[in-house]
Amino acid sequence: MEKLVEVKNLKKWFLIGKSPLGKKELVKAVDGVSFYIEKKEILGLVGESGCGKTTCGKAILRIINPTAGEIFFNGQDISHLSRKEMLKFRKRMMIIYQDPFGSLDPRMSIGTTIAEPMEVHKIGSKKEQEERVIQIMEKVGLFPDQINRFPHEFSGGQRQRIGIARALATNPEFIVADECVSALDVSIQAQIINLLQNLQKEFGLTLLFVAHDLSVIKHICDRIAVMYLGKIVETAPKNDLFNHPKHPYTQALLSAIPIPDPKMRGKREILMGDVPSPINPPSGCRFHTRCPLVKQICKEEEPSLKSSNNIHYVACHLVN
Amino acid sequence: MDRKNNQLKETRTQELIRRLRYNKSATFGLIIVLILILCAIFANYLAPNNPSPSPPELFNALKPGFWSQKGIEGMPLGTDALGRCVLSRLLFGARVSLSAGFVAVGIAMILGITFGTVAGYYGGWIDAVIMRIVDIMFAFPALLLAIVIVTVLGQGLSKAMIAIGIVYTPQMARIIRSSVLYIKEMEYIEVQKAIGSSDRRIIFHHILPNSIAPVIVYGTLMLASAILDCAALGFLGLGAQPPTPEWGAMLSKSYSYIVSGAWWAATFPGLAILFSVLGLNLLGDGLRDILDPRLKI
Amino acid sequence: MMKTLLEIKNLKTHFFTHEGVVKAVDGVSLKVDRGKTLGIVGESGSGKSVTALSILRLIPQPPGKIIGGEIYFEGQDLLKLDNKEIRKIRGKKISMIFQEPMTSLDPVFTIGHEIIETIQLHQGLNKKEAREKALEILKIVGIPDVEKRIDSYPHELSGGMRQRVMIAMALSCHPTLLIADEPTTALDVTIQAQIIKLINDLKKRFHTSVILITHDLGVIAEMCDYVAVMYAGQVVEYAEVFTLFEKSLHPYTQGLSKSIPRLNKEVEKLQVIPGMVPNLLNLPPGCPFHPRCSYNFEKCRSENPELIEIEDSHLVKCHLFTEKR
């Protein structure tokens, strides 16, 4: 398969202040991440809060400018393009946000909101744009007669549909879905997941699905990358990862999810301690402070992502 | 079922009217302001007399109004030292004061929104430069600064309006800036970057429409102070020049007659200023509660 | 000692807003046995949190008001107590923990200060004794390095640690009932697992009853003995936890459990409950779930079913089952 998106050694550091001695304090939100997404593939990027998954998604779209590393879109390096040069890629890649309340302009009717990407990229006449808006609204399950309504008149689930419609307006190839179902009620969440699956098939979309919920990720994704403190610790096709997780963190993450079946109660290993601060990440393997299998080498040397079969990659001294 | 739910929700305007109705002081303020505006618009029809007849009818000077036997028919609020009808001058004065207020606040808004938005949106050194200038302007008492500007520009109502407009610009710029800083961080602005919108589009289509609530609130409150400051400049003889019927000037030309018993010529312009400022302040406070509870100070 | 610790009978809590009356809780009846955990599960607006707040009479008033029902706690109707009496029960016999521990901890006090104050208030100990007690309870909830941590401020702790502090505070006076309102929702999965285990362990240790409010069926399965499913201010199904997950009866419960993606099961498409959670200001006539229910028939549109007992402690509120009887 052809790669649509490829990221090489991507880094994003945020400057949060300077110590009195003039030493810079950095949050290394994303610290050397490499992965690829094939055409028409759904890649799940999973991790706990603060692991850098959202930053990573936004850096790929150049909403945030990466500190270092390369981003290839359809073979072209877009990591250093100017704002103007970037423009022609913008209509080919879009984002869907987590918060259905914050991501829609409260003073803009939903018709205008959905049409905006087309207007910015000057696609079609006013009339064609309106036709397209109605067409997409029907696709995502909104009623065309709601076109002149404002966001506050809609429920959370419907707003998320509006956000999806806007992301589809320019017929993009690649969409980053940033926690796009985690703010929704359970019954609505299922509706949106199904909608995304249908749309992905219908339009042949490539998706980067950023989430913290492994059950959702498992349901929707083809391949999964697990992040911990700014690094990818394991990446593998869905079934490989869920059936044979190799990294101790992935194993712990899988075991931590409460399963809706009381017979499975209590059958889990629980990871102790908290996620360390990304300002001062632990030396060596970043997971060593919580790892149940920690060895001396883990504290000293940082493991790199390696694979025995070129499919299932793990960054752990104990596996490689 | 989905649609039914939606139709139940009221539109923004309906909600606004309902909340305004609940707020008694705002309603009261709105009524005063509406009366004021109507007086200003229909002054020609409402005024019983010419506000500045020439030559002045001096034989009518300082006659009391309807409460006294000595009053003249057709001049219900009495006359001033030049024999002019106080009521008529008040009505025409509403026109002068209101338009002076609107023009001054308009100037402050245009300048303030421009500088505030640029400072808030772009940040960095532009922000630093603009905000330091604003800080410097804040170091002077407003009226004093206005007097300095009028002295430089020359006297007259239009110069007074410009001066007050300039003096109010820093306040407006600060309000807009803080509002822009807040809105800039919203996700719907970040989406614009993902879409590839230009700065111009982001500012005019998204940031400004969403910062308008505090502008309306503070604009209303500023209108009150602008009217007051305009009257003050008029009182000092730096604003409207005779024979323009301006409340501040009317007050200053008549207050010395209070001692001789002719209280009406000074009291009514004073009350007019008082009520219009009160009305605008009540309305402004009410609008703040209604439009943006976040801004409560 | 009575087996039942808390019994809610036909509780109605309504909110009187400008737009109309929001029937947030409309005729809820529940029971919690000593030492057991009752889970209340539902989506936003189902009334699960309002039910919990009503027990402690913490409903903001106005606009809210408990307009009917009884809440018997250890045989005493909480709704009949005066303010002073209910304050004695709050925090001492019934404690509550919330979703976001940061907002429920006062940022200007150290965590120790707050716990010590609670202990002093309810147990009448002096400061030194109370501090000893606080150290002990913080150790129990798994705070490392207690001697040092007791003097730290809430912002110096991580989310998981803050939730542990909240639990320590709630348990400091050995309450007989702990109400936990989405205690793990704001936490990461690995931390959530820690907190679930902690609450389960403490429950056994102190023989405390727990009311757990959540939207997550996984957390319910992990922690509860009995489950009440709420929809639009009413309990639609009540059952023992195994019964609920194996043979739930109400179409809403069934739909809910089929609409969540699972790790242990592979499905091509999730089953979906169509439509959305109804607006509480404008509930449909009859059964509030009927517009989203695929089984709905004539009677559902006109008549709201009663909650009836199908078998031993399995109650359902649905015409499908009233008909059969």
Side-chain angles (χ1 to χ4, degrees):
Chain A
M1 276 295 260
E2 218 178 320
K3 292 171 185 170
L4 181 69
V5 176
E6 186 167 16
V7 173
K8 284 185 181 159
N9 205 17
L10 185 74
K11 288 182 183 172
K12 178 64 200 180
W13 298 350
F14 293 102
L15 184 65
I16 52 161
K18 275 182 185 167
S19 72
L21 297 169
K23 205 181 150 221
K24 283 180 183 171
E25 268 197 74
L26 292 167
V27 175
K28 297 182 178 176
V30 177
D31 200 20
V33 159
S34 307
F35 62 87
Y36 61 87
I37 312 171
E38 286 173 359
K39 275 193 179 148
K40 301 188 184 174
E41 184 185 40
I42 307 183
L43 179 73
L45 194 56
V46 68
E48 296 180 279
S49 55
C51 72
K53 55 190 193 299
T54 293
T55 310
C56 192
K58 287 180 182 170
I60 293 173
L61 296 183
R62 296 279 315 276
I63 295 173
I64 302 173
N65 280 328
T67 309
E70 287 141 2
I71 303 157
F72 293 92
F73 186 79
N74 236 342
Q76 193 181 342
D77 185 357
I78 58 165
S79 56
H80 296 97
L81 296 187
S82 71
R83 193 170 163 175
K84 215 172 166 187
E85 290 167 322
M86 196 56 212
L87 206 56
K88 65 171 186 264
F89 287 95
R90 292 263 179 231
K91 62 181 161 215
R92 300 170 63 187
M93 40 166 74
M94 285 289 163
I95 183 165
I96 305 167
Y97 281 92
Q98 166 179 14
D99 177 10
F101 292 84
S103 55
L104 299 175
D105 187 336
R107 308 242 167 209
M108 202 170 245
S109 75
I110 68 161
T112 322
T113 300
I114 297 170
E116 197 167 27
M118 293 187 271
E119 216 182 306
V120 168
H121 293 287
K122 302 189 178 65
I123 300 170
S125 65
K126 268 259 177 287
K127 190 143 187 301
E128 285 165 341
Q129 287 178 5
E130 202 183 310
E131 278 163 15
R132 170 100 180 124
V133 168
I134 288 171
Q135 185 200 341
I136 312 170
M137 281 176 74
E138 278 168 348
K139 275 260 163 352
V140 301
L142 294 163
F143 301 103
D145 60 354
Q146 296 171 327
I147 192 164
N148 290 322
R149 294 178 177 270
F150 286 85
H152 76 275
E153 299 175 54
F154 293 87
S155 68
Q158 284 178 310
R159 285 174 192 228
Q160 204 54 292
R161 290 175 197 268
I162 300 169
I164 293 171
R166 169 175 60 190
L168 290 175
T170 55
N171 228 335
E173 297 145 70
F174 176 55
I175 291 181
V176 173
D178 182 15
E179 297 269 14
C180 69
V181 296
S182 47
L184 304 174
D185 268 322
V186 187
S187 68
I188 309 300
Q189 180 173 318
Q191 296 174 359
I192 299 292
I193 290 174
N194 283 355
L195 174 67
L196 276 175
Q197 277 185 314
N198 293 341
L199 293 170
Q200 191 268 336
K201 282 208 190 84
E202 185 172 346
F203 296 111
L205 295 170
T206 306
L207 280 179
L208 178 64
F209 195 89
V210 178
H212 69 277
D213 188 336
L214 270 168
S215 4
V216 173
I217 289 260
K218 185 187 179 201
H219 181 77
I220 200 170
C221 300
D222 302 314
R223 213 154 49 82
I224 291 155
V226 182
M227 276 186 88
Y228 185 78
L229 273 181
K231 295 259 183 200
I232 288 182
V233 296
E234 184 163 4
T235 157
K238 171 166 71 181
N239 289 332
D240 272 11
L241 190 100
F242 281 93
N243 298 336
H244 311 287
K246 287 187 177 161
H247 198 283
Y249 177 64
T250 315
Q251 290 167 357
L253 206 56
L254 281 172
S255 150
I257 299 165
I259 291 170
D261 183 352
K263 275 181 278 176
M264 306 285 284
R265 181 179 290 185
K267 288 175 190 159
R268 56 170 68 192
E269 59 179 277
I270 291 177
L271 207 52
M272 297 317 291
D274 273 324
V275 184
S277 150
I279 301 172
N280 246 324
S283 62
C285 172
R286 294 184 179 192
F287 186 59
H288 86 250
T289 53
R290 300 173 80 193
C291 184
L293 310 168
V294 58
K295 295 232 163 63
Q296 190 54 35
I297 186 176
C298 305
K299 296 175 187 168
E300 289 155 5
E301 208 176 296
E302 200 170 323
S304 57
L305 263 186
K306 280 182 194 149
S307 170
S308 52
N309 56 4
N310 275 329
I311 301 172
H312 195 143
Y313 289 84
V314 191
C316 179
H317 290 303
L318 301 162
V319 178
N320 296 326
Chain B
M1 150 95 209
D2 291 16
R3 295 183 196 203
K4 236 191 194 164
N5 265 347
N6 286 333
Q7 274 154 9
L8 267 178
K9 292 192 180 158
E10 48 196 347
T11 65
R12 226 168 240 280
T13 344
Q14 280 171 332
E15 192 196 345
L16 214 76
I17 293 168
R18 179 174 56 74
R19 287 164 73 175
L20 192 67
R21 285 226 317 263
Y22 265 95
N23 192 324
K24 287 208 181 69
S25 58
T27 317
F28 183 61
L30 183 66
I31 291 169
I32 295 182
V33 173
L34 283 179
I35 292 174
L36 208 65
I37 291 173
L38 289 176
C39 288
I41 294 172
F42 298 108
N44 331 22
Y45 303 104
L46 294 172
N49 299 293
N50 184 345
S52 341
S54 106
E57 295 156 355
L58 286 172
F59 49 90
N60 276 343
L62 296 174
K63 288 281 196 298
F66 63 91
W67 56 87
S68 162
Q69 295 284 319
K70 292 180 209 153
I72 313 169
E73 191 135 338
M75 304 221 178
L77 294 185
T79 60
D80 67 2
L82 293 175
R84 297 174 294 199
C85 170
V86 172
L87 177 63
S88 306
R89 287 184 68 77
L90 280 182
L91 290 170
F92 278 92
R95 196 177 268 187
V96 176
S97 288
L98 269 188
S99 48
F102 275 116
V103 172
V105 172
I107 292 171
M109 274 190 189
I110 292 168
L111 295 176
I113 289 175
T114 313
F115 288 118
T117 310
V118 169
Y121 185 75
Y122 290 101
W125 65 268
I126 306 181
D127 183 29
V129 171
I130 293 176
M131 293 326 284
R132 290 306 79 75
I133 295 173
V134 163
D135 287 343
I136 292 168
M137 287 179 76
F138 266 120
F140 298 97
L143 195 59
L144 201 65
L145 191 60
I147 291 171
V148 173
I149 297 172
V150 174
T151 321
V152 175
L153 295 176
Q155 292 174 353
L157 187 59
S158 54
K159 311 282 166 53
M161 293 177 193
I162 295 170
I164 293 168
I166 293 172
V167 170
Y168 285 179
T169 300
Q171 267 187 54
M172 203 37 114
R174 258 197 192 175
I175 290 156
I176 295 290
R177 177 176 172 271
S178 69
S179 171
V180 170
L181 283 179
Y182 174 76
I183 290 163
K184 199 170 79 162
E185 299 304 320
M186 304 299 288
E187 261 180 0
Y188 58 82
I189 300 300
E190 203 182 275
V191 174
Q192 296 305 316
K193 282 183 199 152
I195 291 174
S197 296
S198 60
D199 285 346
R200 222 187 78 207
R201 185 181 183 86
I202 296 176
I203 291 172
F204 286 102
H205 283 69
H206 297 282
I207 290 188
L208 285 184
N210 281 292
S211 344
I212 216 71
V215 173
I216 292 171
V217 171
Y218 284 95
T220 315
L221 294 172
M222 248 176 216
L223 202 56
S225 352
I227 288 175
L228 206 58
D229 284 353
C230 203
L233 287 179
F235 186 87
L236 296 171
L238 296 167
Q241 299 300 310
T244 319
E246 200 274 336
W247 293 342
M250 283 166 76
L251 195 63
S252 81
K253 294 281 180 301
S254 319
Y255 76 97
S256 52
Y257 300 109
I258 291 177
V259 205
S260 52
W263 52 270
W264 52 89
T267 307
F268 289 116
L271 285 177
I273 295 170
L274 177 80
F275 274 104
S276 42
V277 171
L278 179 72
L280 284 163
N281 275 329
L282 289 177
L283 180 63
D285 280 337
L287 284 174
R288 176 166 59 206
D289 296 347
I290 293 162
L291 290 175
D292 212 344
R294 214 165 21 88
L295 285 169
K296 233 174 236 176
I297 303 165
Chain C
M1 212 152 65
M2 278 196 308
K3 198 179 135 218
T4 308
L5 177 70
L6 180 92
E7 186 165 11
I8 302 175
K9 283 185 182 163
N10 202 21
L11 177 73
K12 290 185 178 181
T13 306
H14 294 182
F15 287 81
F16 298 88
T17 67
H18 296 324
E19 285 111 303
V21 182
V22 176
K23 295 177 180 171
V25 174
D26 203 23
V28 162
S29 302
L30 290 171
K31 221 167 67 177
V32 185
D33 288 344
R34 282 182 195 272
K36 299 285 183 194
T37 300
L38 169 73
I40 305 181
V41 66
E43 299 181 276
S44 53
S46 61
K48 54 191 193 303
S49 290
V50 177
T51 306
L53 291 172
S54 300
I55 296 171
L56 283 175
R57 303 230 316 254
L58 290 170
I59 298 291
Q61 187 180 351
K65 198 169 184 217
I66 299 171
I67 60 159
E70 291 122 52
I71 300 175
Y72 291 104
F73 175 73
E74 295 181 332
Q76 193 177 19
D77 188 352
L78 296 180
L79 298 181
K80 293 217 172 75
L81 299 182
D82 63 30
N83 284 336
K84 209 173 151 193
E85 289 166 321
I86 189 86
R87 266 204 298 273
K88 268 193 202 145
I89 289 195
R90 275 182 212 151
K92 188 171 185 193
K93 293 198 152 166
I94 307 178
S95 328
M96 192 154 178
I97 50 179
F98 298 91
Q99 179 181 135
E100 187 23 83
M102 193 63 200
T103 46
S104 21
L105 287 170
D106 191 332
V108 300
F109 293 117
T110 62
I111 56 166
H113 177 98
E114 298 216 22
I115 301 179
I116 291 166
E117 207 166 56
T118 323
I119 295 173
Q120 278 184 300
L121 183 74
H122 288 297
Q123 299 187 358
L125 300 175
N126 69 30
K127 200 157 185 190
K128 207 171 155 223
E129 288 165 337
R131 191 180 162 93
E132 284 304 313
K133 260 254 154 84
L135 283 171
E136 191 192 312
I137 189 92
L138 284 173
K139 222 176 273 168
I140 292 173
V141 298
I143 304 269
D145 224 355
V146 257
E147 294 284 349
K148 235 168 45 200
R149 288 295 171 89
I150 192 166
D151 295 318
S152 32
Y153 289 89
H155 70 265
E156 297 172 305
L157 303 176
S158 68
M161 283 300 152
R162 284 199 289 264
Q163 197 56 285
R164 284 174 195 268
V165 171
M166 281 305 296
I167 293 170
M169 267 159 95
L171 293 179
S172 59
C173 297
H174 306 294
T176 38
L177 177 65
L178 175 71
I179 301 174
D181 188 356
E182 303 264 11
T184 60
T185 307
L187 306 172
D188 281 320
V189 262
T190 56
I191 311 297
Q192 166 172 296
Q194 296 172 2
I195 299 293
I196 289 176
K197 184 168 184 302
L198 177 69
I199 297 179
N200 276 344
D201 291 350
L202 292 174
K203 187 186 99 186
K204 274 187 211 129
R205 179 166 180 166
F206 295 117
H207 203 65
T208 312
S209 304
V210 179
I211 295 181
L212 175 81
I213 293 156
T214 182
H215 67 277
D216 190 335
L217 283 173
V219 176
I220 290 277
E222 206 56 57
M223 296 175 75
C224 300
D225 301 302
Y226 290 91
V227 187
V229 182
M230 284 190 74
Y231 187 80
Q234 295 165 349
V235 173
V236 295
E237 186 160 6
Y238 175 90
E240 207 259 334
V241 68
F242 290 95
T243 318
L244 191 95
F245 280 92
E246 272 158 29
K247 37 181 189 181
S248 61
L249 293 175
H250 198 283
Y252 176 65
T253 317
Q254 290 176 349
L256 208 57
S257 97
K258 278 179 196 148
S259 68
I260 44 172
R262 292 167 184 241
L263 280 182
N264 53 348
K265 262 188 227 152
E266 191 83 25
V267 281
E268 185 61 27
K269 268 258 128 57
L270 294 174
Q271 279 199 23
V272 159
I273 307 175
M276 53 187 186
V277 184
N279 182 346
L280 289 175
L281 278 168
N282 182 40
L283 285 176
C287 169
F289 185 61
H290 88 256
R292 302 176 73 186
C293 181
S294 48
Y295 304 103
N296 87 80
F297 55 97
E298 196 51 48
K299 205 174 172 190
C300 307
R301 280 162 247 161
S302 54
E303 202 180 305
N304 200 357
E306 294 277 316
L307 186 68
I308 53 156
E309 194 156 7
I310 298 291
E311 38 190 282
D312 196 27
S313 52
H314 189 174
L315 288 79
V316 183
K317 186 172 160 304
C318 179
H319 283 309
L320 287 175
F321 304 97
T322 51
E323 287 290 286
K324 278 181 195 158
R325 304 191 106 208

